[in-house]
Amino acid sequence: IVLREIKVDGYKEIRRLCQAFNEMNKRIVELDKKRRQFVADASHELKSPLAGMKVLVESLIQGGFEDKAVRDEFLQSINKEIDRLSKLVNGLLELAQIENADELKMTSLNIKELLKEVIKSLEPIAKSKNISIYLNGDGIILNLNRDNMFRALYNLIENAIKYSNENSKIDILIERDDVAKITIRDYGIGIPEEDLPYIFDRFYRVDKTRARKTGGAGLGLSIVKHIIKLHKGDIEVKSKVGEGTAFIIKLPLEV
Ligand code: ADP
């Protein structure tokens, strides 16, 4: 009887091990697929500004230099493409850095003070569109990695400005519940419902032509999502086309 029991237990154990290995294998295959997709997407994103520059430089070589107006226009276009490439490369580096970080150095910080700093650094851009930013709610001390949380809040508020019309406003609200809740609300162009599930994906842009004008690489929100995840928090979005967008961050309270 004892032997039979051991046999049955052994069989169960092996089956459990097999299941665990299968799960692990599935996960590795998934990760590998994601990595390949990422390399393909990144290469594609890098290729298009390069192709644009190549065409412009070739036209200049073929005689565009003789006409000053044409030359100036082409050089400005090349300059813009270089800016796009730099943004993309910087975004990729930032994303890689955040994804490689297992653990972040955390300190106790008042989220309201941090938000004030972010707003201050974005003031020139907000002013250029005559957008007012209002910050409401009491400060809460949270366990944060300063630089990364600064980056996340910066990306969200910068987007709120970028995707709002002139003379608009942005409302930022801090609330305390069983978590700390930060809402960043704009009254800008909004995001179509069908795009909402994808906006945190890398390189995702709702309107590629518009993104080209505003110069986004579609990496900002995926960086935000990673940073919030590293803080064991959560982020969600609510939006209506023509009415505006609200990003809601939930962060654990300091224990
Ligand atoms: P980008 O660098 O292109 O702004 P993000 O990852 O920051 O990339 O955002 C992805 C897309 O989500 C943007 O291209 C834009 O279409 C949309 N988006 C983000 N924030 C807002 C917002 N506040 N209002 C409207 N659309 C937004």
Side-chain angles (χ1 to χ4, degrees), residues 95 98-99 155 199-204 218-228:
L95 197 60
I98 292 160
E99 283 184 340
N155 284 358
I199 56 160
F200 291 102
D201 291 354
R202 296 170 182 137
F203 307 119
Y204 194 82
L219 287 174
L221 286 180
S222 49
I223 291 172
V224 171
K225 179 126 194 177
H226 261 282
I227 293 173
I228 301 299

Side-chain angles (χ1 to χ4, degrees), residues 34-99:
K34 272 194 183 161
R35 188 188 55 81
R36 276 180 221 218
Q37 187 60 46
F38 174 65
V39 173
D41 291 346
S43 315
H44 177 81
E45 295 291 326
L46 289 166
K47 254 169 89 176
S48 86
L50 279 176
M53 280 197 279
K54 179 87 182 150
V55 171
L56 291 163
V57 170
E58 273 178 355
S59 314
L60 285 175
I61 291 171
Q62 279 160 18
F65 252 124
E66 280 143 33
D67 185 331
K68 188 181 178 307
V70 173
R71 186 186 63 198
D72 287 354
E73 193 195 320
F74 280 22
L75 285 175
Q76 267 179 21
S77 300
I78 294 170
N79 205 20
K80 264 194 204 138
E81 294 292 357
I82 293 174
D83 286 345
R84 250 179 92 197
L85 263 181
S86 312
K87 263 190 203 160
L88 185 59
V89 172
N90 283 338
L92 284 172
L93 283 174
E94 223 172 87
L95 197 60
Q97 204 185 10
I98 292 160
E99 283 184 340

